[in-house]
Amino acid sequence: MVRVRDSLLIASVATQLQASLAGVFGPVNQKPLVGDGKGRANVVFILTDDQDLHMQSLDYMPFVQKHLIDHGTSFRKHFCTTALCCPSRVSLWTGKAAHNTNVTDVNPPHGGYPKFISQGLNEKYLPVWLQNAGYNTYYTGKLFNWHAVDNYDSPYAAGWTGSDFLLDPFTYWYMNSTYQRDRNPPVSYEGEYSVDVLTKKAMGLLDEAYDAGKPFFLGIAPVAPHADIQSEGFRHGKHRNLTEVKFSPPVAAPRHAHLFPDAKVPRTPNFNPDKPSGASWIRNLRKQDAEVIDYNDHFYAQRLRALQSVDELVDGVMRRLDDMGILDNTYIIYSTDNGYHIGQHRLHPSKQCSFEEDINIPLIIRGPGVPKGFTTDIVTAHTDLAPTILQIAGAPLRDDFDGLEIPLTQAGLNQAKDERHEHVTVEHWGFGSNEGLVFDFYPRLRWNNTYKAMRVVGKSYNLHYQVWCNNEHELHDLTTDPGQMVNLLHPEEKKSTAVTLLGLPLDKVVQRLDSLLFVLKSCRAQSCVHPWQALHPGGSVETLQDALSPRFDSFYAAKAESIRFDRCEDGYILDAEGPQYEQEFPESELRTISNWHEWT
């Protein structure tokens, strides 16, 4: 937690800023929310970039605590489904997993704005659906990677009543951002702090939305606390030349540069551990020396400082909504695209792994009927957010969503504790990056960071299971190993750890996990939400605990398909992904199985 000195400093800063910044629903009844009788509710979505949950960044944001955490519900088991900016954002706005959007990277050929367009998603994402439902829609900040000064109009991003996008290649250059308003040419703001520019634009769009007199959605996407990325070539039109790009820690606004002088990365048991962990390339990382640790601590402190401008943004938006008299009829959603690691498992600063630091991320929601000061451990994911926002708007939900709307009332949250699914699919393709110090032994990019993974969080278990594209496997029991330091499936760990899990033989649990991931790795729509029903159409299996019944032992022993890749690829190439569930268990086969009780 934050030390007393830092707590006092935060409180002091918050007081000064307050003076200076003048300028439910869910499975219970499935009824649209209409904002307590005041007309359809507005939605403001604040989406940060690379913000962590597990390194305590929220503890350093007093306005987020005051306006959102204290007056809303925090979802402690919320996960991104791909721990990389562009794929995660596309999944968020479409309600689909990355293997169903086929946007799996930050740049072409496998990702970025051009891939979003080529996959036909420009007419099939949240703002388009909200406009069809009668909402005005507004957005400022980062939309997608590779949404750039030379392709923003090829075509324009659809679905926005008003927009002011932060464009590549200047997206991460804190003191040299470029924004593009509606259909106007891009404008450079060199010399101005990017998040401050964004704040002014967000306030202007909020005023426009209010004056229009219609229910509205407003997306606000600051770049903080992402690393700073710049190149002199960017100034001269060399927007695709990344050979001389400079990565450095995030940049704070000058007024925040002095804050948190003693802040360091939390020294959790998995921080720069003596013993290697994980699998594949991560298990071969060397322990960090004092030079790297000092740099990483500075990197961490800069992230906290950069987030202070976001905290001010939150305060300004909340006070403006209150002054307008619409705060009580507005849902405010606060989240990020993916998490971040610094030093855990000996990793240099970045994301793209499936450890908790990278995938378990902030989600806080405040609004009409949402419990105040409440925390919940129901499992939610980014693919759930588009359905949730459509439900707020009273708009019809799509039958091809890979996610499920999130309950936002006390009754819905209570019911979800017993009835909501317990799994999240996590997937990644291509590289694992290093945004910190570069060495021969730790380059900027590491390839073959392709994997399929999942989290399974039940009442009596808390598991992480992963299969790498080189077919190494990982299994962590977070109940006994919250830092994910013991890979139960690594040969070295098998020698020194028990061969049981959940009181059962380890192989029996792995059979069930493998079968579940076998469905999830290529799931669509309802099979993503209810994967056990794909394996057991009779409906008697809804959880891992159900599937572990001895009744199904022979079924899993005979039918379980071990997850495997045919090869490592940088994107979603189907013939590299190994056997697919639909091919192995066609519906015709289900109807002819003799031991039908094993499927029910």
Side-chain angles (χ1 to χ4, degrees):
M1 299 297 291
V2 180
R3 291 181 293 275
V4 172
R5 175 180 173 183
D6 284 340
S7 297
L8 294 173
L9 182 56
I10 292 172
S12 174
V13 171
T15 301
Q16 296 175 39
L17 292 173
Q18 184 73 52
S20 64
L21 293 176
V24 200
F25 67 97
V28 175
N29 54 31
Q30 298 295 302
K31 293 181 180 179
L33 293 177
V34 292
D36 294 343
K38 300 177 181 178
R40 287 190 292 172
N42 310 302
V43 179
V44 174
F45 198 127
I46 300 172
L47 184 68
T48 61
D49 202 320
D50 289 2
Q51 185 170 0
D52 65 273
L53 178 64
H54 286 262
M55 292 187 292
Q56 305 168 355
S57 66
L58 292 174
D59 291 350
Y60 290 82
M61 302 183 75
F63 289 131
V64 168
Q65 294 178 27
K66 172 185 175 181
H67 294 300
L68 301 180
I69 295 175
D70 291 349
H71 285 84
T73 292
S74 299
F75 294 81
R76 293 188 296 193
K77 296 298 181 186
H78 183 76
F79 299 88
C80 63
T81 53
T82 303
L84 182 61
C85 308
C86 189
S88 180
R89 289 167 184 255
V90 172
S91 289
L92 192 162
W93 300 129
T94 63
K96 292 185 176 184
H99 67 260
N100 288 328
T101 67
N102 203 17
V103 179
T104 61
D105 201 348
V106 294
N107 53 263
H110 301 297
Y113 184 62
K115 188 71 169 182
F116 173 81
I117 296 298
S118 70
Q119 296 303 297
L121 299 173
N122 200 31
E123 301 296 335
K124 298 177 182 178
Y125 73 132
L126 184 66
V128 174
W129 302 326
L130 286 173
Q131 285 191 340
N132 291 339
Y135 270 64
N136 280 349
T137 54
Y138 305 87
Y139 196 97
T140 185
K142 172 184 169 183
L143 184 62
F144 301 126
N145 298 81
W146 224 259
H147 187 214
V149 294
D150 56 2
N151 72 356
Y152 67 90
D153 56 353
S154 303
Y156 290 99
W160 301 108
T161 307
S163 61
D164 213 332
F165 295 122
L166 177 59
L167 296 182
D168 275 355
F170 302 96
T171 299
Y172 304 120
W173 197 337
Y174 279 79
M175 296 304 297
N176 187 14
S177 58
T178 292
Y179 285 80
Q180 184 269 320
R181 176 67 193 266
D182 296 337
R183 303 264 169 138
N184 299 324
V187 175
S188 172
Y189 290 85
E190 185 170 4
E192 298 183 54
Y193 188 66
S194 178
V195 182
D196 289 348
V197 175
L198 174 94
T199 298
K200 295 175 184 177
K201 293 179 178 297
M203 295 304 181
L205 289 175
L206 183 54
D207 289 345
E208 288 183 29
Y210 176 77
D211 291 341
K214 293 179 63 176
F216 65 84
F217 172 92
L218 170 60
I220 307 172
V223 66
H226 195 285
D228 186 82
I229 302 177
Q230 55 181 275
S231 170
E232 285 302 310
F234 293 168
R235 301 178 188 272
H236 308 295
K238 298 179 180 179
H239 301 146
R240 298 293 182 253
N241 181 7
L242 302 181
T243 58
E244 298 181 356
V245 168
K246 177 185 176 183
F247 283 74
S248 62
V251 175
R255 63 187 178 278
H256 303 135
H258 66 288
L259 297 177
F260 319 126
D262 300 323
K264 294 183 178 182
V265 180
R267 296 317 198 242
T268 52
N270 64 358
F271 175 81
N272 198 31
D274 294 331
K275 176 184 173 183
S277 56
S280 190
W281 62 271
I282 295 174
R283 199 169 186 91
N284 297 321
L285 294 176
R286 64 175 66 180
K287 193 172 182 186
Q288 298 175 355
D289 61 19
E291 176 191 8
V292 174
I293 292 173
D294 288 346
Y295 180 87
N296 289 348
D297 282 336
H298 170 64
F299 198 110
Y300 172 74
Q302 285 296 103
R303 285 170 56 84
L304 300 180
R305 294 167 186 140
L307 281 169
Q308 299 313 296
S309 295
V310 177
D311 203 41
E312 295 173 4
L313 164 66
V314 170
D315 182 57
V317 168
M318 298 302 296
R319 292 192 294 111
R320 183 69 61 90
L321 290 169
D322 193 28
D323 291 344
M324 291 173 168
I326 58 174
L327 177 58
D328 292 341
N329 194 41
T330 301
Y331 289 86
I332 299 92
I333 303 173
Y334 185 96
S335 191
T336 189
D337 46 10
N338 48 259
Y340 209 74
H341 57 249
I342 305 178
Q344 298 80 22
H345 304 279
R346 305 179 176 177
L347 290 159
H348 285 214
S350 197
K351 54 269 186 178
Q352 299 142 349
C353 299
S354 69
F355 292 125
E356 289 294 274
E357 289 80 10
D358 291 13
I359 64 171
N360 183 206
I361 56 178
L363 175 65
I364 311 158
I365 303 179
R366 168 182 175 163
V370 179
K372 296 182 178 181
F374 187 72
T375 59
T376 178
D377 288 331
I378 67 169
V379 175
T380 61
H382 265 8
T383 49
D384 299 330
L385 289 172
T388 301
I389 294 168
L390 288 183
Q391 179 117 353
I392 289 173
L397 303 186
R398 298 176 59 86
D399 59 9
D400 61 350
F401 278 143
D402 296 337
L404 179 69
E405 59 272 22
I406 299 171
L408 295 181
T409 65
Q410 191 68 65
L413 290 165
N414 291 342
Q415 184 173 337
K417 287 193 297 184
D418 297 320
E419 298 182 3
R420 193 175 180 86
H421 59 76
E422 60 183 19
H423 65 274
V424 170
T425 311
V426 182
E427 50 194 357
H428 193 273
W429 295 263
F431 63 85
S433 66
N434 168 19
E435 298 178 356
L437 293 177
V438 173
F439 299 93
D440 290 341
F441 60 84
Y442 206 133
R444 180 69 70 201
L445 299 178
R446 287 182 179 269
W447 297 99
N448 296 340
N449 191 51
T450 296
Y451 59 80
K452 295 283 186 173
M454 65 181 180
R455 290 283 282 109
V456 183
V457 185
K459 293 181 179 179
S460 59
Y461 42 82
N462 187 3
L463 304 175
H464 165 253
Y465 183 62
Q466 174 168 324
V467 180
W468 291 80
C469 66
N470 66 0
N471 292 315
E472 291 187 48
H473 286 57
E474 284 190 63
L475 175 59
H476 299 98
D477 179 2
L478 278 77
T479 301
T480 59
D481 177 28
Q484 296 170 283
M485 287 299 301
V486 179
N487 176 8
L488 297 171
L489 299 181
H490 194 277
E492 294 178 8
E493 302 293 355
K494 281 187 173 182
K495 295 177 183 177
S496 58
T497 57
V499 294
T500 62
L501 179 62
L502 310 180
L504 297 168
L506 182 62
D507 289 346
K508 177 174 178 174
V509 180
V510 172
Q511 282 181 343
R512 271 62 167 184
L513 294 174
D514 231 32
S515 296
L516 179 60
L517 186 55
F518 189 50
V519 175
L520 290 173
K521 75 169 194 169
S522 55
C523 68
R524 292 181 183 274
Q526 283 301 299
S527 64
C528 296
V529 178
H530 300 293
W532 291 113
Q533 291 182 9
L535 293 165
H536 300 272
S540 62
V541 175
E542 291 289 346
T543 66
L544 174 62
Q545 188 65 54
D546 295 339
L548 287 169
S549 168
R551 173 186 177 190
F552 304 117
D553 285 353
S554 60
F555 164 69
Y556 283 102
K559 287 291 182 183
E561 172 71 41
S562 180
I563 294 286
R564 69 177 187 273
F565 285 82
D566 291 328
R567 64 184 185 277
C568 293
E569 286 283 0
D570 298 337
Y572 181 55
I573 310 297
L574 188 59
D575 66 12
E577 298 273 318
Q580 303 295 300
Y581 173 78
E582 292 82 0
Q583 298 171 13
E584 296 296 313
F585 298 104
E587 186 176 350
S588 59
E589 182 179 339
L590 302 187
R591 290 195 294 265
T592 59
I593 294 216
S594 57
N595 296 325
W596 182 250
H597 67 280
E598 295 180 350
W599 287 83
T600 60

